[in-house]
Each structure stands twice: as structure tokens, then as C-alpha cells.
Amino acid sequence: MDGAPTLERLAGQDGPALRAAGAWTAQHAGAIERLVRDAERRARKEAAVEIDVSHIARLDTFGAWLIERLRRALTRENNAPRLTGLAEDYRGLVEAVRNAGNDAEPRQKEPGAIVLMLAAIGHAMSEVADTLIQLANMTGAIILAGLRIAVRPQTFRFTSLIHHMEQVGWRAVPIMVLITFLIGCIIAQQGIFHFRKFGADVYVVDMVGVLVLREIGVLIVAIMVAGRSGSAYTAELGSMKMREEIDALRTMGFDPVEVLIVPRVLALIIAMPILAFIGSMAALYGGGLVAWLYGGLQPDIFLSRLREAISLDHFKVGMIKAPFMAAVIGVIACLEGFNVRGSAESLGSHTTSSVVKSIFFVIVLDGVFAIFFASIGM
Amino acid sequence: MTIEARNIVKQFGAFRALDDVDLRVEGGELVALLGPSGSGKTTLLRIIAGLDWPDAGEVLFNGESALERGAGERNVGFVFQHYALFRHMSVFENVAFGLRVQPRRLRRSEADIRKRVNDLLDLVQIDWLANRYPGQLSGGQRQRVALARALAIEPRILLLDEPFGALDAKVRKELRRWLRSLHDDIHVTSLFVTHDQEEALEVADRIVVMDKGKIEQIGTPEDVYDNPATAFVHGFIGESIMLPVEVGGGQVRFGPKVLDLESGGAASGPSRLFVRRHDMVLGPAGNGTLEGAVKRVRAFGPILRADVALPGGDGETMIEVDAPRDRALKPGDIVGLKPRRYRIFAAQA
């Protein structure tokens, strides 16, 4: 009896039947698996109403499960084939296997490339929506904390404000000046190189002036601030979060937004217009220098041309944008810092995403301002 | 101050961190929340502190709902696992911090604050470190500072999250005795989280054993150790020997062998027999005992510790038992084991 497993097709009492025989155990796993797979494949064409298991010599969980699989494959419109001749010893096992498999989910089809792509887009969109909600949340919390401070100014932490202004303002000046100076040089050089073909050298001054004051000065500074100070905010707050210092503040009755975020964001809002101004001046200086040394444009001509080309509006456009960009960078950086969870990886990834998101939102904001100023004619 | 948590549910995404948890801590008690990691004990502590909010349920302090109040308004002292000391402040300033920021009407004068901080540093026995910075302290000293800082605001409740988790074994032992005696002095209602059963058994008035977001048992240390309510508690607290047995018709079988044990109230079917190692008595093989062959014998201080292989239903089960030092045991001996005290729980599905 205890022989190799077999599965035969034969005519039963009320229709075609399958008879399983031999040892249906894990030792013969390969053989039974093959038998059952063949039977399953044929099951669509060749139905069976009965599975005769009376000749099975030995049965273990593996065999019981394959019989159950066979039974499911042969099930037609909720009519499962009967299991006949099941030995009393094995009844419990077969029942258990039947019930165990019941709540298993049906195997899902691998989604296709298009579905995966759409799913990824959907995920990304819901992430963007999440970010926007969190930003609104954080902005609200900061405004609320700001109002509380306005009511009780003695609770404001001036030391912290000054400390952060030094960090993000004063200490950032050299690198900002260097970068914007170089950008001014490059714009002037490119302008002269290309305008010379049309004999329009002198308009380089218009281009440098307008571009630097309206866009480049503040935008370059904002991007630098996002990379330099925004990431520092995220890292500081994130590591405080990791060390549970923020929770400690809360248990001692502090509002972390009031204590940690308001001074930081305020420092950035104060520092950024100053940096944008210094940056714009450095860029104009660089532009003028290149125009003189490379384009042969005398400084006095440059200055008088500049006076004609630009108006106070251009300067205002750049300066008005600066504090808003600072606020966006500050809020995003602090939000990302607060979102850091226990691990060091989390700190790193939030710092990265702080920089990426800040730069993205700064550029979006710049676009919105461009539309706004165009429509009010500035 | 009593703390009461009623039907607390907390869900993190698909993961249920707390599943309908009920807990009551009496005033002046020192209670340990004990469980493996991921059992929800820290989450429960954070909810009581007001650092997290439950999805459902209530938290009551002295019968008043605490959920409307934020962490800062609950007057709770919290000691964090990694101390969370402010690194740019001296020890003195760290402890004084909570006092300096109290609302004006409650705030003490500078002289009062000074006195209070010095008293606290005295209490935690680190007064000579007042002017150091956290970076210059050892782990145990930082833990004392954290405790002093938590106590500074005269909290009605003291919550400690794995207070000795980051310390080495010797300092842990010393600090937990000290915590116990400190608690006996100041009697503030305290709740501390730990995964170390020894710590919980030694320090706490009562122990709350948690697993998978549920409370398995609440009781005194003796109670939890001697009368575990569930298989999990028996396995988790104290060293236990677990054997798969079959209960049927009032008999307990291990493999084919009927044991001389009473099934108690255990239902028929596959079950698990739990025995403390010191309750397993080594004797001659005979009827109704667990029979096995000694595989290895080690001298272990005043006792001998033997690995015994029990032939069971599927393969061998290896268990460790103790024997008196003077007993001649050698590998290969066939011995009988008889549990002196034991518990039988139904096997989990």
C-alpha cells in the first residue's frame, strides 16, 4: 500500500472521479506536486465530481493541502467534488487544511507597467497633498505661536533669535557674496559675448541690472539659504527630536513651536532680505567688472546706463520676494525636522528632502510672484 | 494621584499598538509596565504623559479627564530613555529650567529656585556636579540629572521610559535600588516602562505585563511570578521550561507517555506544560515521569546544570535542569523528571 503516489481518473458512481493512492507525504513532494498540477491543468476541460482517497496509505499536511488544492481546482459554481473514503485518522488534518486555506487571499495578478506607473503617480500626488496639508498646519501653528508671543512679548527668546540671525545671516555673507558676484560676472560675460554680434554691447547693462535685481539676486540667495541654513535647521531640530529633547520640552510645559521654530523662522525672514540686497549688489559689481575688463565698457558709462535701465520697481520686486521665500524655506525646514523619526537614516533623508522641497517651493513661489508683478504692472 | 486609563486604543497605520487597554494606578504606587519590544508599553506611557493621543479611550488623573490638557498642563515628570538633557546648559540649569519657565504667578524667586535645585541635586546625590555639562557626565549621573529635572516641577506623576535601559549592568542594579528607596521617600505616583523582568520584579509594587498591545496580567511581583495568568506571562517572566503536551480525559500525555500530572482545568487538546527550572525535580526514571537522557553536565556554582534530551512526539526536546552538586550525573544517564509545580495552558492556534 505504501507505494509511490498515484492519481488516476476513473468512472465513479455519479460521474467522473479521481482516485488518489499511495503515500501522499512530503517525501514524495515532487511526484504529488506534478500529479496535482497536471490534474489542475486538465480540470478546466475534464470535470470530476468525486475524489476517492480511500487508497491513500499515508497522508501528511503536504498531501492534505494538495488534495485540498485539487478539490478547489475542480470546484464548479460552488459545487465542490466530494471527498470519499477518507480515513478517520486523517479527517482532522484535512479539515484543518481546508479551514486554514479559506481565508487566504487569492493570488493577485502582477500589475502591468501602466498600472504601476499610474500607481506611482497617484502615490506621488497624495504625498504632495500630504505635504501641503502639513505645511498649512505648521504655518498655522507658527502664526498662532507668533500671536501668543505678540500678547506676551516677555516670553520671546531674543537670545535665540540673535543666535540664529548670526548663523543664517552674518555667517552666510561671505559665501553669498562670492556666489552672486560670480553669477553676475557670468551673466555679463555671456551677454557681451552674444550681444556683440548685433553691436548691442551696451544693452548688457540693462540685462544684468534687470535680471539681477528682479530675479537672480534673490533666487540664488534663496537657493543658497535653503541648502545652507534650511538643511541646518532640519538637522538641528531632527537631532533634538531623536534625542527626545522636544518631548522633554513639551512635558515641561513648552510649546516647541514657540521655543524652537518661531525664532528660527523669524531670523531667516529678517536675514534673507539683507542677504538678497548684499547679493544683488555683489552681482551688479561682478557684472560691471566684467563689462569693463572683458567688454571694454567704462565704469562711468556702465553706471549711467544702469541708472537709465533700472527703476526702483525692479529693486522692490526683488526685495519684496525675499521675506516670503525665507518664510517658505523656514517652515519647510522646521517641518521636516519635526518629522524626523528615531533613526539616523530618517534624519538624513529628511534633511535631503528639506533642501529639495525648499528649492522647489521657492521656484514655484518665484513663478507666482512673476505673474503677480506682471499683472500689477511692476 | 491616581492614574486611570480606560479602553485605550492606538493605531499606527495598520498596526494596533494598543488594543483596548485598561489600567489603574493608585496614588503613591510604583508600577512597572513590562513587556517585550513592540508590546505598546512606551506608547501607553506617552499617552498618559500627553505626548501622544489615543484613537479611543480615556485617561483620568484623580478621576478628571486629562485628555483635554496638553503635556505641559498635566504636571507630569517624564524621564526619557536617552535622558534628553539640554546639552548647552549646565546640570544646575537643566534642573532649574522647568522652574524658570513656569507661569509668572507660580514662579518662585531666584533664591527659591536655587534652593530647590540644590535640594534636588542633594536628593539624587550629585550636588557636586552642579556646574558640569551633560557631556561631561557618565550615563548613571545623567540619569540622575534627568530624574532631578523631572522632579523639579513637583510633578503629581512621575513617568519613566526605560530609565536604566542605556546603562551597564552594575550601574543599573545600583540605580534601581536607589530609585526604589527614593520612591519610598517621596511617594509620588510612578509608572515606569521596562523590558527587563528582573528590574520590574525588584523595584515595582505592581507589575503590568503587556504583549502585542494588550495587558496580559496585572499583579504584585510575587503574584505575576508564582501565578502567571497566561502562557505568555509564564514564558516571559522567570525562566520556564515549556513542553508540548496533549490533554485528554483528565490525563496529560507527553508524546506517547502518560504523565503523573493533573490536567487541572485545562481543556482537551494540544497544550503546553510550563515548569520553572527550579521546580523540575530530578529522580530515577519511572512511571509518570518525563524520561530522558543526560547529554551534558556543567558545574554552575553550587548546582549542577544538565541538558536532558526528552524523546517527544517529533524529535527530541532539549531542556535544562538543575541538580544538587553532590549528585553524580554523567552524560548518557537516563533520568526521570517530575515537575513539582507546573501550569498547563492550551496551545495557541
Side-chain angles (χ1 to χ4, degrees), chain A residues 154 157 239-240 242-254 259, chain B residues 46 50-51 53 71-72 76 78 80-82 84-87 97 101 149:
Chain A
Q154 70 276 16
R157 298 177 67 225
S239 58
M240 287 186 77
M242 276 169 67
R243 286 193 304 262
E244 299 175 309
E245 284 176 37
I246 291 176
D247 285 335
L249 282 174
R250 284 171 62 196
T251 55
M252 281 188 245
F254 284 101
V259 177
Chain B
R46 289 177 62 90
L51 296 170
W53 266 261
V76 162
F78 201 112
F80 293 89
Q81 188 175 2
H82 300 291
L85 298 177
F86 304 120
R87 284 164 306 155
F97 192 64
V101 300
R149 187 178 69 177

Side-chain angles (χ1 to χ4, degrees), chain A residues 54-126:
Chain A
S54 56
H55 287 62
I56 285 184
R58 285 195 296 137
L59 187 70
D60 65 2
T61 316
F62 186 79
W65 167 240
L66 284 171
I67 286 176
E68 176 60 21
R69 241 175 72 183
L70 191 59
R71 202 182 68 90
R72 286 182 194 181
L74 290 167
T75 299
R76 292 274 180 285
E77 290 147 10
N78 294 327
N79 288 326
R82 270 179 299 125
L83 221 55
T84 53
L86 183 62
E88 201 52 41
D89 291 359
Y90 295 138
R91 189 166 296 279
L93 180 60
V94 171
E95 290 281 303
V97 166
R98 182 170 302 173
N99 295 332
N102 264 351
D103 43 1
E105 284 174 30
R107 203 142 52 332
Q108 279 187 338
K109 229 172 64 185
E110 273 293 293
I114 294 178
V115 176
L116 282 178
M117 201 177 76
L118 289 175
I121 293 174
H123 274 302
M125 287 318 291
S126 78

